[in-house]
Amino acid sequence: MKARHDHRDPVSLLYIRRITVLEIYDLKTEYRKDPIGIDVKKPAFSWKLRSDLNDVIQKGYRIQVKEGDRLVYDSDQLSEKQSLYHTYEGETLKPRTRYEVSVDVIDTHDETAHADAFFETGLMSVENFKADFITHGFEDDMEACALFSRTFKINKPIAKARIYASALGVYKLELNGNRVGTMRFAPGWTSYQDRLQYQTYDVTESLKEDNTIYATVANGWYKGILGFYGQGNHYGKRTAIFFQMEIDYEDGTNETICSDESWTSSTGPHRYSELYHGEVIDFSLDEFETRGVSVIDYPKQNLVSQISEPIRITQRLKVKHMFTAPNGEIILDFGQNASAVVEARLKQPKGTKVVLRHGEDLDENGNLFTENLRTAKATDTFICSGNEDVFLPEFTSHGFRYVSIEGLKEVDPDDFTACVQHTDFDRINSFSCDNPNVDQLWKNIDWTMRSNYFDIPMDCPQRDERLGYTGDTQIFLPTALFHGDLALFFRKWLYDLQSEQSDEFGVPLTVPDILRTRTCVSIWHDAATIVPWLIYQTYGDRRVLEEQFDSMVSCVEYSRRLAGKDGLLQIENSSQFGDWVAIDAPKGPYRPSPKGVFLHPSMDEKAGGTDSHLIGNAYYLYSLDILAKTAKILRKENEAHTYSELYQDVLKKFRDEYITANGRLLSETQTAAALVLYFDLAEEKDRTRILNKLILNLVKTQKHLRTGFVGTEYLPHVLSRFDQHQLVGDILMKDDCPSWLYAVKLGATTVWELWDGVNEDHSYNMFSMNSLNQYGFATIGNWLVKDLAGISSLEPGYVRSRIAPRLVSGITEVQASYETPYGKLSCRTACRNGRYQIDISIPANTEAVIELPGKEKMISGSGTYHFEYETTDSFEEKPYSQDSILNDILKDPVAKRYFEEKEPELSRNPMIRNFAGRLSISEIKMTLPKTMVPERAYQIFDDMIRLLNDGN
Ligand code: BGC
């Protein structure tokens, strides 16, 4: 049904309209506004439309690109609705050149709009990299950061000046005493053996007659300590800088200043810096030895222009609370666990040494807890000059909320600021609801993502790991996509995935791969198909599928080879990590540990209780399905056919292996059922049995998850899809362990790696892997937006979306807003006093399928809409529910009397008080034989609950 506003009765609808014109906004080149330094040969342009009229569709458009006054590309007038990724098809783009872009559109209301933008190309090809990589004149194992410098003169008026820079290590540039750009940790982390990013900076306004350039280079990911065994030099033994400044003078001449043997090297105040261990900044030193530099060999063809958003300081947090811990340490509490460094402003006698140790939490005694950092020292040391000093660690990062300070007689908390740092992607989306705990959960998810999206998608921000685990990345991606604009972040990461992947070893556990374990396990491995697929679904840019297609094929072929002629992954042919950190393993990672002793659990304990090859094969099928669909989209008919057939073949084998003829699942865990139902792996006839078993399982655990990070993502969606939406609500509202709100109850400000990372008494689960800031269990964010607030995409890029809000008990109002590639999609739903109030906004050039509670499905074009209507639905939290224990209900005299009246015999049966009475109503219904508690009593129980909640 195609709905029109005036046809929508009985839903009452207010149609909001203001007088306006059509407007183009966010005209971007390669996802960026007015970028400089792009190296894409045929960049793509996208724009969004805004109009206060409803049902706006773009009818036609024209793009023109000029170099100066010269037209280099004209799309001509096109009668199309495409407003995303129009590819440049003009003259070959020149390096270091500015191009002006203009777009004109007309919509179906015959409104027109115009917008201008520009982009500037980078160095574009290897022959334009004139500079050399130069290394310092000190020993390989020098601890201090190298400081490269050179001076130069300018004696003509400048038209334009750009720096193109990169490093083996991480660098910071200073020109004439000022920091160049705002990026931290440049050049970012890529698979350096194949790809190294360079950055472009506009320094036209910063040059003078006499100029000095300084480049500080720290070990960073290139040479620094990374991984579990304290090893460094993963990519090379020596740090180096690459620097090329191109100055265009007003008189038309050009000068290039390059890193070469004319530079000098020295050291500066950064005496030590490692990502895990921290930084030493010494402002008391007056003299530094100077040495020469030498050219170092690094293949310049690996240089690529920076793709994604840089790491920046995005927020500054004041000290919330300062106190002396029982062990005498002075502790600063910043109130938020985050990836950050502390800036200190100090005026202390020369040589005063101030030591900051960082930790995520306090232990049960109230002292700083750092054991879960393992070997990461997370310690910064500042040595004062005697003047006013500003210390800000440059090349290290810590995951912390608390900091202990040593070395000051008196501590003024105002001297310390936590500078939050992570990839600075756009965060234009929002979610909120009227349940403060769920709201806090969302905030915790957001902070967890921000802490871990640190140029690569990391597993954790604090301990000696911080690696781009492929499994964690793919499982959290659907949630992450609601928190920020990640198209570029993942475009970059996928290039590295491709470069680390091989036909021989598959996709590694981490990308970039410094572990080189050569271990390939499902779920991690399958990131090669899942990540591009989800990125395509979100942004609608086919190029990600085109670029990643070979990688997807290689991923699937790898699994196919392992599976061999039997067709399935089996214990003999593949290793698996199962349902990572699930708590249903026979031994579980949750066995009690002697106080203060770290447990190093075996793989079996970490992998949960689900048959790990069932999970592996479900993922093999997931990858196969994605590949077949991708081949179809890319019109690769042969591959589409081959992989669809293979999918059917493997699916049959999967059913033969894991589902009995009568529809019983071989591994009857929550995760197995969730996976099989989510991916439609069971035959239709068997679904109900599997679903019922899943519900029974949840009833037996009093609605607590036993899942690891595989099951946790899928289970909520499965329940909502199969009419068990309120059951997800019940699970969500639990705040005892294991549950999402358990951590919230204990004051967590980020999501934990383990369900029971911290015990009720605030002591730690002494598991050697116990991060308090990890996104494996943060995947509920996906359900909160899609299934609760009710916004999701039906067609790639949200050109068609779905709006289907569904509240649960304890949440009477929820809103989510998401900046799709076309503009803002949002829905706010409130249900109070028997009335729904729903506000929706659908971006121009798209349409949405709207499914409001209790109403017929409708299809709507763009615009803002308000719906209001009566309902019998009620979501206020009630004291009694199906989860209430029968004996607790019977403590109320009203309920007791009702029960005795209606079921005199049953109510006197001692079995009720001593056995059934100890169970919840759902458990009685689902687990006890009807001969013990007859079905007719169920109605009585429901009546009692209603009587107690509503009084009638
Ligand atoms: C990480 C996990 C990761 C796992 C796989 C852990 O140490 O933190 O999230 O996926 O290792 O080996």
Side-chain angles (χ1 to χ4, degrees):
M1 169 178 88
K2 169 93 185 164
R4 294 268 125 231
H5 331 298
D6 42 347
H7 292 164
R8 288 194 189 143
D9 281 332
V11 178
S12 112
L13 179 144
L14 306 177
Y15 175 22
I16 302 161
R17 182 173 177 173
R18 290 184 297 276
I19 297 160
T20 186
V21 284
L22 181 69
E23 195 193 336
I24 298 175
Y25 69 109
D26 277 356
L27 170 56
K28 293 184 177 179
T29 306
E30 287 300 330
Y31 298 91
R32 286 157 69 189
K33 273 191 198 165
D34 300 336
I36 65 168
I38 65 161
D39 275 359
V40 181
K41 297 211 163 41
K42 289 184 172 188
F45 309 109
S46 305
W47 57 92
K48 295 174 188 165
L49 298 176
R50 190 154 42 203
S51 163
D52 280 355
L53 295 181
N54 287 13
D55 294 321
V56 170
I57 295 286
Q58 179 184 286
K59 208 161 70 169
Y61 70 99
R62 178 177 193 167
I63 300 186
Q64 292 184 315
V65 180
K66 287 181 176 168
E67 181 198 340
D69 291 333
R70 210 167 58 79
L71 191 66
V72 293
Y73 174 57
D74 189 347
S75 70
D76 290 327
Q77 187 62 39
L78 297 166
S79 305
E80 282 170 31
K81 81 181 279 262
Q82 180 187 7
S83 57
L84 299 182
Y85 323 117
H86 176 101
T87 309
Y88 174 85
E89 293 293 352
E91 288 180 13
T92 306
L93 296 175
K94 296 180 195 155
R96 298 204 311 104
T97 306
R98 176 175 163 129
Y99 292 91
E100 312 292 335
V101 183
S102 66
V103 175
D104 287 280
V105 304
I106 180 162
D107 72 6
T108 38
H109 299 279
D110 285 334
E111 300 269 4
T112 58
H114 173 91
D116 295 309
F118 77 88
F119 69 93
E120 185 184 294
T121 51
L123 290 174
M124 291 198 95
S125 60
V126 67
E127 63 274 13
N128 299 320
F129 296 108
K130 298 174 211 151
D132 285 316
F133 282 85
I134 52 169
T135 187
H136 52 81
F138 299 88
E139 293 63 40
D140 289 356
D141 58 358
M142 171 178 70
E143 278 201 344
C145 302
L147 185 66
F148 298 88
S149 68
R150 107 149 244 192
T151 54
F152 58 96
K153 274 190 183 303
I154 303 271
N155 41 32
K156 287 194 276 186
I158 296 170
K160 180 174 116 182
R162 299 283 185 265
I163 293 174
Y164 304 93
S166 187
L168 306 180
V170 282
Y171 73 89
K172 173 180 81 160
L173 295 180
E174 281 158 301
L175 177 59
N176 299 328
N178 297 318
R179 185 196 181 95
V180 177
T182 50
M183 175 169 182
R184 291 166 68 81
F185 297 88
W189 191 6
T190 47
S191 302
Y192 295 136
Q193 70 282 7
D194 293 324
R195 298 174 359 91
L196 173 65
Q197 297 190 126
Y198 75 88
Q199 286 70 40
T200 305
Y201 306 94
D202 178 354
V203 289
T204 315
E205 304 299 328
S206 317
L207 291 171
K208 302 177 184 164
E209 206 178 316
D210 288 300
N211 300 283
T212 309
I213 183 87
Y214 280 111
T216 309
V217 184
N219 292 345
W221 298 286
Y222 183 85
K223 170 175 161 54
I225 293 164
L226 281 182
F228 319 115
Y229 308 110
Q231 70 277 45
N233 297 333
H234 288 278
Y235 298 92
K237 284 191 189 143
R238 296 190 67 82
T239 56
I241 185 79
F242 174 92
F243 178 95
Q244 182 167 331
M245 181 187 282
E246 298 279 353
I247 307 168
D248 294 338
Y249 293 108
E250 278 183 6
D251 64 6
T253 58
N254 164 270
E255 187 181 354
T256 309
I257 291 168
C258 289
S259 44
D260 57 23
E261 281 175 341
S262 71
W263 287 50
T264 57
S265 65
S266 169
T267 57
H270 293 272
R271 305 312 300 165
Y272 174 87
S273 191
E274 285 289 347
L275 289 157
Y276 296 163
H277 299 324
E279 201 155 302
V280 178
I281 306 177
D282 188 347
F283 286 140
S284 73
L285 299 171
D286 301 315
E287 274 181 44
F288 303 97
E289 188 191 347
T290 302
R291 294 192 185 178
V293 300
S294 53
V295 170
I296 191 171
D297 204 22
Y298 179 83
K300 283 195 238 172
Q301 60 271 22
N302 288 359
L303 281 168
V304 289
S305 178
Q306 157 116 10
I307 297 173
S308 64
E309 297 81 0
I311 295 176
R312 289 198 183 98
I313 291 175
T314 60
Q315 205 172 334
R316 298 167 73 86
L317 306 174
K318 290 254 153 232
V319 173
K320 276 250 164 84
H321 178 46
M322 184 173 95
F323 59 94
T324 305
N327 65 6
E329 283 185 338
I330 296 173
I331 309 275
L332 306 178
D333 173 7
F334 289 95
Q336 176 62 54
N337 196 15
S339 265
V341 274
V342 172
E343 179 188 83
R345 292 177 175 265
L346 302 171
K347 186 166 182 342
Q348 294 290 328
K350 185 169 180 170
T352 306
K353 187 170 158 187
V354 182
V355 179
L356 280 68
R357 291 194 309 120
H358 305 72
E360 292 190 288
D361 210 346
L362 306 174
D363 65 15
E364 66 268 43
N365 302 315
N367 296 316
L368 188 72
F369 180 76
T370 56
E371 275 84 343
N372 69 337
L373 309 184
R374 301 195 304 220
T375 64
K377 295 195 179 80
T379 302
D380 291 340
T381 305
F382 303 149
I383 302 167
C384 300
S385 69
N387 302 316
E388 293 243 356
D389 294 319
V390 181
F391 295 95
L392 175 62
E394 187 68 44
F395 307 111
T396 192
S397 192
H398 311 296
F400 70 94
R401 167 176 168 170
Y402 299 92
V403 172
S404 85
I405 307 271
E406 214 183 287
L408 287 173
K409 288 208 181 77
E410 267 176 50
V411 178
D412 179 353
D414 289 341
D415 292 340
F416 299 90
T417 309
C419 301
V420 176
Q421 51 182 359
H422 53 83
T423 294
D424 191 12
F425 47 78
D426 274 343
R427 293 169 59 238
I428 34 198
N429 311 323
S430 69
F431 170 91
S432 59
C433 69
D434 65 344
N435 182 309
N437 293 331
V438 176
D439 227 31
Q440 182 64 43
L441 173 64
W442 177 266
K443 289 192 183 108
N444 292 1
I445 296 170
D446 191 54
W447 274 103
T448 302
M449 169 176 173
R450 291 168 66 195
S451 308
N452 284 299
Y453 276 27
F454 204 87
D455 208 53
I456 59 150
M458 299 190 305
D459 58 332
C460 55
Q462 72 298 76
R463 67 175 178 231
D464 50 1
E465 217 155 351
R466 311 187 200 182
L467 303 175
Y469 279 100
T470 41
D472 308 39
T473 298
Q474 66 82 2
I475 206 84
F476 180 62
L477 187 55
T479 292
L481 287 163
F482 285 120
H483 285 257
D485 187 347
L486 299 173
L488 293 173
F489 184 81
F490 278 102
R491 195 169 192 188
K492 164 186 175 278
W493 188 74
L494 282 171
Y495 289 147
D496 291 318
L497 181 144
Q498 253 183 42
S499 101
E500 303 289 2
Q501 176 185 17
S502 65
D503 291 344
E504 193 183 354
F505 300 111
V507 177
L509 289 177
T510 63
V511 168
D513 183 23
I514 53 111
L515 296 180
R516 297 195 182 88
T517 49
R518 303 292 186 222
T519 311
C520 176
V521 287
S522 307
I523 297 145
W524 281 258
H525 173 72
D526 298 285
T529 55
I530 299 165
V531 175
W533 182 247
L534 295 177
I535 295 292
Y536 169 67
Q537 292 302 326
T538 304
Y539 299 101
D541 187 350
R542 276 168 58 112
R543 291 177 303 172
V544 69
L545 298 183
E546 284 158 7
E547 287 171 358
Q548 296 302 130
F549 187 72
D550 291 348
S551 154
M552 291 168 135
V553 172
S554 167
C555 164
V556 164
E557 287 296 337
Y558 180 87
S559 301
R560 185 186 194 171
R561 240 183 343 270
L562 288 193
K565 61 176 176 355
D566 295 340
L568 287 182
L569 301 168
Q570 302 283 14
I571 197 149
E572 309 79 49
N573 59 28
S574 67
S575 59
Q576 299 293 340
F577 285 1
D579 191 16
W580 193 249
V581 293
I583 51 175
D584 55 356
K587 283 192 276 178
Y590 298 85
R591 60 197 159 121
S593 68
K595 274 244 180 283
V597 178
F598 258 123
L599 287 178
H600 294 277
S602 66
M603 192 51 78
D604 275 355
E605 288 172 283
K606 292 190 268 192
T610 305
D611 181 313
S612 60
H613 285 82
L614 180 151
I615 301 178
N617 284 306
Y619 260 81
Y620 175 29
L621 281 160
Y622 183 19
S623 278
L624 260 171
D625 186 42
I626 290 174
L627 180 58
K629 287 179 179 148
T630 302
K632 212 163 167 211
I633 292 167
L634 300 180
R635 300 206 179 84
K636 294 176 186 283
E637 304 306 337
N638 286 344
E639 286 93 335
H641 178 75
T642 308
Y643 293 114
S644 312
E645 295 256 293
L646 184 57
Y647 177 87
Q648 291 306 334
D649 185 44
V650 178
L651 180 62
K652 187 180 173 309
K653 293 193 165 103
F654 182 94
R655 287 175 176 164
D656 291 348
E657 181 88 1
Y658 298 112
I659 305 171
T660 67
N662 293 329
R664 186 167 176 178
L665 207 52
L666 196 80
S667 185
E668 291 196 299
T669 61
Q670 294 175 358
T671 292
L675 270 183
V676 165
L677 294 172
Y678 186 88
F679 291 113
D680 289 323
L681 303 180
E683 281 179 65
E684 183 97 47
K685 68 169 178 65
D686 297 333
R687 278 192 200 149
T688 314
R689 184 168 183 190
I690 295 170
L691 178 69
N692 286 343
K693 201 65 205 262
L694 172 61
I695 297 168
L696 178 64
N697 187 327
L698 284 161
V699 165
K700 281 186 175 166
T701 58
Q702 280 76 43
K703 304 191 182 172
H704 291 84
L705 298 185
R706 314 278 292 148
T707 49
F709 73 44
V710 174
T712 305
E713 156 67 348
Y714 303 112
L715 189 134
H717 301 287
V718 160
L719 293 178
S720 288
R721 175 173 146 202
F722 290 102
D723 278 341
Q724 299 295 323
H725 188 66
Q726 181 51 46
L727 180 51
V728 191
D730 295 346
I731 297 168
L732 177 64
M733 293 299 158
K734 299 281 172 211
D735 66 2
D736 54 341
C737 188
S739 68
W740 288 287
L741 296 186
Y742 170 67
V744 171
K745 185 179 75 180
L746 261 65
T749 56
T750 40
V751 179
W752 299 344
E753 179 172 24
L754 305 178
W755 287 119
D756 66 347
V758 182
N759 302 314
E760 290 266 5
D761 67 353
H762 233 91
S763 62
Y764 275 74
N765 179 344
M766 294 302 277
F767 189 48
S768 63
M769 240 177 47
N770 188 356
S771 151
L772 299 187
N773 199 351
Q774 191 121 352
Y775 46 62
F777 288 149
T779 50
I780 186 66
N782 186 19
W783 181 88
L784 290 175
V785 176
K786 263 192 196 149
D787 294 84
L788 185 75
I791 58 176
S792 57
S793 172
L794 286 177
E795 279 176 36
Y798 286 80
V799 69
R800 195 158 204 264
S801 49
R802 177 169 185 251
I803 299 181
R806 280 188 290 166
L807 300 172
V808 293
S809 286
I811 299 180
T812 63
E813 181 169 346
V814 63
Q815 75 79 29
S817 151
Y818 179 65
E819 188 68 22
T820 74
Y822 291 92
K824 185 168 134 183
L825 175 71
S826 70
C827 180
R828 181 191 147 276
T829 305
C831 180
R832 292 196 188 101
N833 310 320
R835 224 174 154 69
Y836 269 112
Q837 294 202 344
I838 302 175
D839 289 285
I840 287 173
S841 162
I842 303 163
N845 222 12
T846 73
E847 66 173 18
V849 177
I850 302 176
E851 294 167 49
L852 301 185
K855 296 291 168 199
E856 282 214 350
K857 205 188 256 193
M858 50 192 147
I859 296 169
S860 175
S862 68
T864 48
Y865 305 97
H866 177 79
F867 301 85
E868 257 190 77
Y869 56 95
E870 308 223 319
T871 178
T872 52
D873 293 351
S874 162
F875 301 99
E876 268 98 41
E877 236 182 333
K878 302 273 168 74
Y880 294 91
S881 70
Q882 298 290 317
D883 290 353
S884 303
I885 305 294
L886 178 59
N887 280 345
D888 290 344
I889 295 176
L890 292 173
K891 277 184 197 147
D892 190 291
V894 176
K896 190 163 178 268
R897 210 173 315 122
Y898 186 81
F899 189 34
E900 285 167 357
E901 255 171 44
K902 298 280 173 186
E903 280 290 344
E905 206 175 309
L906 189 65
S907 70
R908 281 195 302 273
N909 187 331
M911 176 276 305
I912 285 289
R913 184 154 300 277
N914 299 332
F915 182 59
R918 293 183 183 166
L919 303 179
S920 69
I921 301 301
S922 354
E923 277 176 292
I924 294 173
K925 289 179 183 175
M926 299 210 47
T927 62
L928 294 189
K930 311 258 184 299
T931 45
M932 197 181 264
V933 178
E935 219 168 338
R936 59 169 200 279
Y938 298 175
Q939 187 56 48
I940 315 280
F941 297 151
D942 292 349
D943 290 348
M944 291 194 298
I945 290 172
R946 211 187 44 252
L947 213 55
L948 295 184
N949 284 337
D950 306 333
N952 57 44

